[in-house]
């Protein structure tokens, strides 16, 4: 059985504007029409940050690029969950 471990980070690791933009289905769309996969809920969002096209990753806001780099360094597979009660990570900026 394949399982996927998803880090749960505090929403303070992304800007309030980026968190709000995650609700917009047209936001974070690359020039090739590929958009950032995410699932938003009342207290945060699941965001696929790892296995995404390079072009799209370069267009991400800095806060998401920082989290992406952190997740890749720790060898996380695909998704990151941002939650109001998620963990604070010293290596990441807060907003």
């Amino acid at each position: 059985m394949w399982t996927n471990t998803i880090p749960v980070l505090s929403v303070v690791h992304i800007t309030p504007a980026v968190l709000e933009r995650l609700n917009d289905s047209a936001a974070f769309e690359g020039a090739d029409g590929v958009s950032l996969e995410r699932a938003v809920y009342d207290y945060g969002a699941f965001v696929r940050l790892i296995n995404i096209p390079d072009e799209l990753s370069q267009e991400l806001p800095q806060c998401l690029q920082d989290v992406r780099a952190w997740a890749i360094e720790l060898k996380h597979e695909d998704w990151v969950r941002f939650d109001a009660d998620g963990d604070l990570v010293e290596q990441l900026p807060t907003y």
Side-chain angles (χ1 to χ4, degrees):
M1 176 190 329
W2 176 56
T3 59
N4 189 1
T5 302
I6 300 173
V8 182
L9 304 179
S10 173
V11 293
V12 302
H13 290 303
I14 55 176
T15 66
V18 167
L19 184 58
E20 188 173 317
R21 279 184 62 202
L22 288 172
N23 282 308
D24 181 356
S25 62
F28 307 113
E29 186 172 310
D32 59 359
V34 175
S35 51
L36 189 64
E37 293 179 68
R38 69 255 191 209
V40 180
Y41 61 99
D42 289 344
Y43 304 104
F46 289 85
V47 183
R48 187 176 190 182
L49 287 176
I50 312 304
N51 294 314
I52 60 174
D54 288 337
E55 179 182 301
L56 183 58
S57 70
Q58 294 168 4
E59 295 177 13
L60 293 174
Q62 188 61 51
C63 60
L64 289 177
Q65 288 185 27
D66 292 342
V67 172
R68 182 175 188 272
W70 171 84
I72 288 171
E73 183 178 322
L74 294 177
K75 301 191 182 344
H76 288 293
E77 296 182 30
D78 270 323
W79 295 84
V80 174
R81 177 179 166 195
F82 297 99
D83 187 88
D85 293 324
D87 292 337
L88 289 171
V89 176
E90 286 184 28
Q91 298 91 332
L92 293 172
T94 56
Y95 302 93

